Amino acid sequence: MTNALELRKLHQFFNQGTVNERHVLKGIDLKLAPGEFVAVIGGNGAGKSTLLNSIAGSLPVDQGQIKIEGEDVTYETVAKRARLIGRVFQDPQMGTAPLLTVEENLSLALLRGQKRNCWSFGVKKKQRQFLQEQLALLNLGLEDRLSAEIGLLSGGQRQAITLLMATLQNPALLLLDEHTAALDPQTSQIVMTLTAQLVAEKQLTTLMITHNMADALKFGNRLIMLDQGQIAIDVAGAEKAQLTVPDLLALFKHKSGQDLTDDRVLLS
Ligand SMILES: Nc1ncnc2c1ncn2[C@@H]1O[C@H](COP(=O)(O)OP(=O)(O)OP(=O)(O)O)[C@@H](O)[C@H]1O
Ligand SMILES: [Mg+2]
C-alpha cells in the first residue's frame, strides 16, 4: 500500500552558514498510512510548525525527501502542492475572507486546484445544495447562513468553516497547526469533535499539532512527540489508547532525559 505521506531524512536549518544557524529538523523519518490521524505534540520551538511548513512547501526543504501518495513533491511549490493538502492555522481570521459570504468563501475552496470557473445556472444550484449539505455536517446551523458575511460569524464558526473549506476536496493530507488554540475551551472542544468527525467521514490522513495533551490523547489513532527537531515518541493504536497524561510525561522524561517544561503543554 502506498503511504499517504513519507518523509525521509528531512532536515531544516534556519540562517544556515551564519552564527545564528539553527538546525531545527534533524533527519525526520515518518510514514503515514492512508487515513491515519496523528496528533503532534512537543515543547515550544520543538520544530512542529517547521515540520508542517516543510510538508506544505511554505519552507523550502534543505535536505531530505517528501512524498505525498507516492509522488515526490520535495521541490514543488506551495501552489502546486495545494491540490494535495488542506491546511488550518491557529488564527480564525486567517482561513476565510471576512467580506465575502459563507457561500463565496466555500465556492473559492471548491475552485481550488481547478483551472476554469464556468458554472451554469443548473450547476450553481447543485453547488449550493452541496454546500448546504456540507455545512449541515457541522451541526452549527450554518446551512441557513450561506449569504451571511463571514466577518459577522464567531471565531468558532469561522474556524469550523475553514476546516470545512480545507477538507471540501478530500485532500490527500490535512495539516492542522493548533487550529483550536485561539478558541475558548468549550468552542475548542466543538471544533475538535468536528475535526474528528470530518476526518473519519472523509477518511483523511491528518497531522494535527496541539498543545493540549488531553486532546492529543483523546483524538487520533497515533501520537508523535517532537523534541529538538527529532521524533522522541511515536505511539499508535492500543498503546496510544491506554496512555494517560502522566504516562506521556514519564515517557518524555525517559526518552529525552529531561522534564517537559513547556507551561502551555503542562497547563492545558
Ligand atoms: N523563520 C525563522 N527564522 C529563524 N528561526 C526560526 C524561524 N522559524 C522558526 N524558527 C526557530 O525554529 C525553531 C522551531 O520553530 P517552530 O515554529 O517549528 O516550533 P514549534 O514546535 O511550532 O513551537 P511552538 O509550540 O512555539 O509553536 C524555534 O527555535 C524557532 O525559533
Ligand atoms: Mg508552532
Side-chain angles (χ1 to χ4, degrees), residues 69-166:
E69 291 186 335
E71 194 183 328
D72 188 337
V73 300
T74 314
Y75 299 106
E76 273 191 2
T77 59
V78 180
K80 202 143 184 253
R81 275 182 232 192
R83 76 201 140 85
L84 299 168
I85 295 173
R87 293 188 89 177
V88 184
F89 298 93
Q90 183 170 334
D91 184 353
Q93 314 289 331
M94 262 180 71
T96 45
L99 297 177
L100 299 185
T101 64
V102 171
E103 184 172 18
E104 286 163 343
N105 270 281
L106 288 167
S107 305
L108 285 176
L110 271 182
L111 283 175
R112 221 164 42 126
Q114 289 176 12
K115 289 214 167 66
R116 287 178 303 156
N117 174 17
C118 51
W119 299 103
S120 67
F121 179 71
V123 173
K124 231 182 171 150
K125 213 169 136 189
K126 260 201 192 137
Q127 182 192 296
R128 179 165 294 163
Q129 242 169 32
F130 170 73
L131 294 179
Q132 267 168 338
E133 283 163 21
Q134 294 291 308
L135 282 166
L137 292 176
L138 305 180
N139 273 322
L140 294 171
L142 288 166
E143 58 276 22
D144 303 324
R145 313 264 327 254
L146 273 178
S147 53
E149 266 180 31
I150 286 272
L152 299 176
L153 303 180
S154 71
Q157 288 173 323
R158 282 183 77 160
Q159 208 60 334
I161 290 176
T162 307
L163 194 60
L164 186 57
M165 286 167 64

Side-chain angles (χ1 to χ4, degrees), residues 29-47:
D29 285 312
L30 181 65
K31 286 181 186 166
L32 302 193
E36 276 204 289
F37 181 2
V38 185
V40 181
I41 58 174
N44 290 123

Side-chain angles (χ1 to χ4, degrees), residues 43-50 53 90 177-178 209 211 264:
N44 290 123
K48 305 180 296 297
S49 297
T50 303
N53 287 333
Q90 183 170 334
D177 193 344
E178 301 198 46
I209 299 176
H211 262 94
R264 278 204 295 159

Side-chain angles (χ1 to χ4, degrees), residues 13-15 20 22-25 41-53 59 90 177-178 209 211 226 262 264-265:
F13 297 85
F14 288 112
N15 309 310
N20 294 320
R22 298 221 40 189
H23 193 177
V24 175
L25 295 182
I41 58 174
N44 290 123
K48 305 180 296 297
S49 297
T50 303
L51 180 67
L52 262 55
N53 287 333
L59 268 179
Q90 183 170 334
D177 193 344
E178 301 198 46
I209 299 176
H211 262 94
L226 274 188
D262 181 340
R264 278 204 295 159
V265 176

